Amino acid sequence: MAEQSIFIPDSSATGGGDGHGHDLAERRFTPTEHARGPWDPQALHGGAPGALITHAFEQMQPGGELRIAQLRFEFLRPVPMAPLTLSTDVARAGRRVQGLTAELRTDDGVAVCRASALRVVPVPAELPELPLEDERDAFVALPEPSRGKQLQATLEGSGGLSFAHSIEMRWLDSSWEPGPATVWMRMRVPLFENQPLSPLARVVGSADFPNGISAVLPFREYIFINADLTVSLWRQPAGEWIGQRARTHIHPHGTGLSESVLYDERGAIGRATQILVVQPR
């Protein structure tokens, strides 16, 4: 029977200092089939370690009263379907601005993903009157998820479980057609058994999909793997559904880039970008 979570946490955890006044914490996790990605059946989808690291950042103290405004993930090599150790650190302490770092390693000590988060003091509730957002741009609220067309995401074309199977998708435009896409996503499998996903972890888990949902090259002929993921937020997300207006740009002799405006059901919340490695298969 398949596990009903994306990761299984080890019961043990370690902590201590690094000799430079920083508090370190480590935890070991085993991915399940729900973490598997589209490019290699033995590698994880980037959204799975992204959501895991985001969860760890949200738990870090002191500084939990600050708001996570930006998250950056560097995928150093394919993240394997194998036990992984996550270490976290407060790299920059402060009352108004705080920098967090994380590293995900294999059992033989190879770093496969590095991440950072920027936490800042919230914007004051009382502000001068500000100009309204221009409703002609991409930030106008999306139609509600119930108006989208439900379609299972199965980029890898296999019958096995994967991270894509953990996501419910509702398309607001032509599903899986080449080019820009507008899609609502809801993660249906918890990060750990009996532990709901936070809205922020849902955002990061969904934000690693733009290169797939807005693909401009045929999946069977090309790879377009993202080497990183950056999520920048101007508002904290709420709820289960995360929307995206996604677009991919690929230029010969240039760089591949996927970008998206991110939404919850109240409206736009931020942006996500991915730098792509584009090669023929």
Side-chain angles (χ1 to χ4, degrees):
M1 181 177 178
E3 299 288 345
Q4 295 304 308
S5 64
I6 298 170
F7 290 94
I8 301 171
D10 193 303
S11 59
S12 62
T14 62
D18 67 349
H20 299 282
H22 296 162
D23 290 327
L24 302 177
E26 289 193 346
R27 192 78 186 271
R28 193 167 180 265
F29 302 90
T30 300
T32 73
E33 286 186 289
H34 292 289
R36 187 167 59 86
W39 306 106
D40 180 344
Q42 298 305 313
L44 273 56
H45 189 287
L52 175 68
I53 293 170
T54 299
H55 171 82
F57 282 153
E58 290 185 285
Q59 308 306 308
M60 292 178 67
Q61 298 292 347
E65 72 280 2
L66 303 180
R67 298 289 183 263
I68 294 180
Q70 187 176 75
L71 299 118
R72 297 194 65 193
F73 303 87
E74 293 180 79
F75 299 107
L76 307 176
R77 48 184 48 83
V79 182
M81 284 284 294
L84 300 163
T85 297
L86 174 62
S87 61
T88 57
D89 184 19
V90 179
R92 175 186 177 185
R95 293 184 298 108
R96 297 180 179 178
V97 180
Q98 193 176 82
L100 312 178
T101 59
E103 185 173 87
L104 202 60
R105 303 185 306 277
T106 62
D107 276 356
D108 55 3
V110 176
V112 292
C113 180
R114 292 195 181 106
S116 63
L118 188 67
R119 295 203 290 203
V120 299
V121 66
V123 174
E126 299 297 328
L127 293 174
E129 185 174 349
L130 300 173
L132 297 175
E133 291 180 353
D134 187 351
E135 292 192 355
R136 293 172 299 177
D137 66 19
F139 303 112
V140 64
L142 298 181
E144 61 188 25
S146 62
R147 295 180 60 182
K149 177 184 178 182
Q150 185 170 356
L151 188 70
Q152 178 66 56
T154 53
L155 279 179
E156 63 271 44
S158 73
L161 290 176
S162 70
F163 191 71
H165 289 87
S166 305
I167 303 284
E168 179 181 354
M169 287 190 176
R170 293 188 176 269
W171 295 72
L172 294 174
D173 49 18
S174 299
S175 53
W176 296 120
E177 293 293 327
T182 306
V183 185
W184 283 105
M185 298 184 181
R186 177 169 64 178
M187 293 180 66
R188 299 181 292 190
V189 177
L191 197 60
F192 315 122
E193 190 174 7
N194 300 322
Q195 181 166 336
L197 283 153
S198 72
L200 186 57
R202 291 177 180 276
V203 167
V204 174
S206 302
D208 199 60
F209 274 87
N211 58 327
I213 61 175
S214 67
V216 295
L217 294 172
F219 180 78
R220 296 184 181 277
E221 298 176 28
Y222 290 87
I223 62 169
F224 32 93
I225 303 171
N226 59 301
D228 79 336
L229 170 65
T230 300
V231 176
S232 301
L233 301 171
W234 55 78
R235 179 170 65 77
Q236 295 299 295
E240 294 185 331
W241 286 100
I242 304 301
Q244 297 191 53
R245 290 187 189 271
R247 181 182 296 270
T248 293
H249 310 272
I250 295 176
H251 298 280
H253 305 292
T255 302
L257 170 72
S258 291
E259 59 181 352
S260 61
V261 179
L262 303 170
Y263 299 80
D264 62 14
E265 292 187 80
R266 292 167 49 199
I269 59 174
R271 289 184 181 275
T273 60
Q274 304 167 300
I275 298 298
L276 307 182
V277 176
V278 181
Q279 295 285 294
R281 286 186 179 271

